[in-house]
Amino acid sequence: MSVALFGGTFNPIHLGHLRIAVELAELLGVDSLRMLPCSLPPHREALSVSAEQRMAMLQLAVADYPQLVADDIELQRGGATYTIDTLRQVRQQIGADVPLYLCIGIDVLITLDSWQEWRQLTNHCHLVVSARPNYVLPTSGVLADWINQHRCDDLPQLKQCSAGKLFLCDTTRLAISSTQIRDKIKHSDTIDFLTPAAVVNYIHQQNLYE
Ligand code: ATP
């Protein structure tokens, strides 16, 4: 058994997220890849859609993919989302020996040193980092050093231990972002083929992002 977590705002979920989610589930050979919408501070949520609506869109998007699971663990906990708390909670559920992967995009990796207890993350999981257009790894500084210390390019070796390493993978680079989708809706442009049709319909039915 092994488990992967893929956190995000998912505001809204899009094909960039979904394509890397299915690729990573396959590559890592996990039983489930759990997609975790994060809580937003009340002032950000007031400007945006509700947590329930973000979750509903995620559920519509993964409905036909049994390997992808919409998981509201961070919404249930409420308050500010600290990934380190989620990792501790999931570790308690699955035990110490099961490989646990935290999937992030490279845009997130390059800001990792601003996260709560960021150096402790790899005590609980491996980090699996997807490429994204227009982002590169830092070449110097404290984060660059930390990445080099933890980096492992040998996937079978990664799968043999439960946590501690960082794996960079060349997943499909789709230049799609939630920001782009929100902007297109504001300008009354189509969002077809940027997110699944069920999500497009939900967004229009609920008049989101207008
Ligand atoms: P926004 O435009 O609102 O900042 P986003 O499109 O970056 O949103 P998030 O929900 O913030 O989406 O991202 C969740 C996770 O998915 C992050 O780890 C991010 O790096 C990754 N991600 C988002 N879009 C892509 C993409 N097109 N390709 C690869 N990874 C992506």
Side-chain angles (χ1 to χ4, degrees):
M1 181 193 160
S2 57
V3 173
L5 307 178
F6 180 19
T9 318
F10 303 130
N11 189 25
I13 181 81
H14 55 68
L15 294 185
H17 297 130
L18 292 163
R19 177 65 212 173
I20 58 169
V22 294
E23 280 186 36
L24 291 175
E26 199 169 66
L27 183 78
L28 299 170
V30 292
D31 301 297
S32 68
L33 185 141
R34 302 192 200 168
M35 303 187 71
L36 320 174
C38 62
S39 305
L40 289 177
H43 65 276
R44 270 191 69 192
E45 193 160 306
L47 295 171
S48 176
V49 307
S50 68
E52 290 72 24
Q53 288 170 318
R54 287 186 291 125
M55 185 70 185
M57 290 187 280
L58 178 57
Q59 281 168 332
L60 288 170
V62 300
D64 293 333
Y65 298 89
Q67 73 275 42
L68 306 184
V69 177
D71 185 334
D72 64 356
I73 182 173
E74 295 190 338
L75 301 177
Q76 292 291 340
R77 207 170 57 234
T81 296
Y82 294 120
T83 301
I84 191 80
D85 296 335
T86 307
L87 292 171
R88 289 188 175 120
Q89 204 174 336
V90 172
R91 264 285 164 227
Q92 286 216 318
Q93 293 169 356
I94 66 175
D97 300 331
V98 171
L100 177 61
Y101 306 99
L102 179 68
C103 303
I104 58 174
I106 188 169
D107 57 311
V108 171
L109 176 67
I110 62 180
T111 64
L112 200 73
D113 52 349
S114 65
W115 284 22
Q116 186 90 349
E117 298 182 58
W118 67 277
R119 290 171 188 280
Q120 313 306 318
L121 293 169
T122 43
N123 292 348
H124 306 282
C125 65
H126 297 302
L127 286 181
V128 176
V129 181
S130 297
R132 224 180 149 176
N134 307 321
Y135 292 96
V136 290
L137 287 176
T139 51
S140 61
V142 65
L143 183 57
D145 293 345
W146 188 85
I147 291 169
N148 288 332
Q149 277 162 22
H150 291 83
R151 189 164 169 179
C152 166
D153 296 330
D154 182 345
L155 190 56
Q157 193 192 340
L158 192 87
K159 289 179 178 178
Q160 275 168 17
C161 40
S162 60
K165 300 188 187 304
L166 184 149
F167 181 72
L168 296 171
C169 44
D170 202 14
T171 38
T172 305
R173 296 166 197 234
L174 291 178
I176 302 175
S177 69
S178 302
T179 304
Q180 175 195 20
I181 293 177
R182 296 193 300 271
D183 286 348
K184 283 198 181 297
I185 295 169
K186 283 213 176 61
H187 293 98
S188 305
D189 293 338
T190 179
I191 57 165
D192 289 354
F193 302 109
L194 295 174
T195 187
V199 177
V200 174
N201 292 338
Y202 182 91
I203 288 173
H204 292 320
Q205 274 161 14
Q206 303 266 322
N207 304 317
L208 303 184
Y209 310 112
E210 287 178 358

